[in-house]
Structures are given as C-alpha cells and as structure tokens.
Amino acid sequence: MKILVCVSNVPDTTTKITFTDNNTQFNTNGVQFILNPYDEIALARAIELTDGGKGTVTVINVGDASTEATIRKALAIGATDAVRVNAKPHDAWYVAHQIAQYVKANPFDLILTGRESIDYNGSKVAGMLGELLDIPSVSIIKKLDAGDSEATVEREIEGGKEVLTIPYPFVAGAAEGVAEPKIPNMRGIMSARTKPLAVIEPTEVKTFSEIVSYETPAPRGQVKLVAADDTAKLVELLHAEARVI
C-alpha cells in the first residue's frame, strides 16, 4: 500500500502571535513551528498500516525551506520519504492544487490529512483534494481499518456514529482516536537525515482569495463576582452586560 500524508508547518500553540505591516503579515520572528498535531495523528496511522513492510508512507508539504525541520521530524517518526513543494501555502485552494498535481503524476492508494491545521482551522484540504482528483473524500474520521481493496472508516455524527466502506483510492481527514501520535526515537532521528526529501517547484494556480488583515482577539474584561445568593443580580448582569439571556 502506498500512503501519502499531507503535513503542515504550524506555530506552536504556546507562541505569542503578532502581526506586521499594518496587521497584514504574520510575524514569524521568535515563533516556534511544529508539525501540525492532527497531521501527526494521520501519520501515526499511516505508519501502523504499513508496518512490517506492508507499504510505504510519503509525506508532502507545501512550504519554503524553513519547513524542512518539520518535514524531517515526520521522517524521524517513520515516514519513508518526503516531498516539499517549494512555495508558501497561500490558502487551502492553493495547497490542495499543488498536492493534487503531484498525486496525478504519482498515484497513491490512500491520502491522509489531519482534520484541520491548528493555525487556520479550515478543514478544507481533504475535501478539495477529493474533488480535484475525482476520488472519494471523507472528513473528520475517528477510526480507519484497511483491507485489501477497501477501507472502513468511522465518523461521529449527531446522535451516533457513521461507518463507511470506501474503495481505494480515497482521501480522509484524521481526527483524535485514529491513532496515538508517535515520538521519534534516536534511531528514527538519525535515519531521518538520510531519507529522501525531494523538492519540486509549484504549478501555477489562479488565486481566489487574499488576506486583507489580521486581528487579535479582544482582551478579556474584568471578572465580576456575584454573591451565591444574589440570583437577581446575576440575571441582571447576564441580560444587560453579557447579553446572553
């Protein structure tokens, strides 16, 4: 089985976010970047499915040279090889197109993404990939079992679970529960240095969106304490100030 895992290079959640150029550019100075946690889940499941010589796992990233440390971590975790599309990820449409172009020339049985990236939380790439490649796609899966010619995936829906059987090839966005993220060991870290990492140039893609500006969340207001027995005051504050009732 040949599996492609799409990985993103995202800021650590503990990083303080700031913007430059009149709030039109994300300030990367001093920012610690990591492998997107949901992509780590997808990667872990891909490695489990191919363990013992059952297949190969390729990771692909759309990004400039600064993302290679993150890609090498994916290789250290257990990916067979990696591909970097040498371009900044303008948006989900752009990323999906670059990956789709690579897949058209290099077919895979299964394409996995994380359910979303933790920077923009869009959950778009998996669906767009399915459309661009004209193959099935399913988002936010909680379980993935692979057979010889088809796989069974499980999703949570309102009031229960949905179980789907899907023939290869298809795209799936992995969420919590699909696998436990793996920590690279010393052997994996050492071998990652020599694993293949191909750099390819991007294809031209028409742009449909642009970021006009960024805004940080409003600072939290002061906390007002209300006596436990003063229900009337609590209701008044929720109605007049919080405006939630």
Side-chain angles (χ1 to χ4, degrees):
M1 174 180 285
K2 291 181 62 179
I3 303 178
L4 180 69
V5 181
C6 310
V7 298
S8 299
N9 185 55
V10 298
D12 192 307
T13 53
T14 61
T15 297
K16 183 178 181 181
I17 301 300
T18 59
F19 307 106
T20 59
D21 297 340
N22 197 28
N23 289 337
T24 61
Q25 298 292 325
F26 172 58
N27 184 12
T28 59
N29 290 334
V31 174
Q32 176 68 40
F33 283 88
I34 62 171
L35 177 60
N36 182 48
Y38 292 115
D39 299 341
E40 281 198 67
I41 293 172
L43 177 59
R45 187 58 183 143
I47 293 169
E48 290 172 354
L49 292 173
T50 57
D51 195 27
K54 298 176 183 176
T56 59
V57 177
T58 299
V59 293
I60 188 168
N61 167 260
V62 179
D64 57 24
S66 66
T67 68
E68 291 198 2
T70 295
I71 298 171
R72 290 292 178 191
K73 180 182 178 182
L75 291 170
I77 290 172
T80 310
D81 60 345
V83 177
R84 178 174 67 84
V85 181
N86 189 30
K88 290 190 175 182
H90 178 78
D91 56 18
W93 174 254
Y94 183 86
V95 170
H97 261 274
Q98 301 304 328
I99 297 172
Q101 286 299 113
Y102 176 76
V103 173
K104 287 176 182 178
N106 304 271
F108 289 85
D109 300 302
L110 176 61
I111 303 171
L112 295 177
T113 72
R115 63 175 289 175
E116 62 188 5
S117 61
I118 63 170
D119 48 4
Y120 290 101
N121 305 98
S123 299
K124 298 176 182 177
V125 171
M128 288 180 176
L129 273 175
E131 182 67 21
L132 291 168
L133 295 170
D134 196 24
I135 60 176
S137 69
V138 56
S139 60
I140 315 183
I141 65 170
K142 292 285 190 175
K143 188 177 180 181
L144 169 61
D145 293 320
D148 293 334
S149 59
E150 60 186 20
T152 301
V153 301
E154 188 175 288
R155 308 174 64 239
E156 288 185 356
I157 59 173
E158 186 176 354
K161 295 180 181 180
E162 181 180 54
V163 179
L164 302 170
T165 301
I166 312 172
Y168 304 119
F170 69 92
V171 186
E176 309 92 321
V178 170
E180 287 295 322
K182 298 180 181 295
I183 299 174
N185 55 32
M186 185 55 66
R187 181 179 179 182
I189 294 171
M190 296 300 291
S191 66
R193 299 177 182 178
T194 57
K195 287 182 177 179
L197 197 173
V199 179
I200 60 176
E201 292 306 311
T203 58
E204 187 174 345
V205 176
K206 187 176 181 179
T207 300
F208 291 100
S209 68
E210 65 175 305
I211 295 173
V212 176
S213 65
Y214 293 95
E215 292 182 8
T216 54
R220 293 183 179 181
Q222 293 183 338
V223 175
K224 292 187 177 182
L225 299 178
V226 179
D229 58 352
D230 194 353
T231 308
K233 181 64 174 177
L234 175 61
V235 171
E236 177 188 347
L237 290 172
L238 291 174
H239 178 69
E241 294 191 17
R243 296 182 179 179
V244 295
I245 58 173

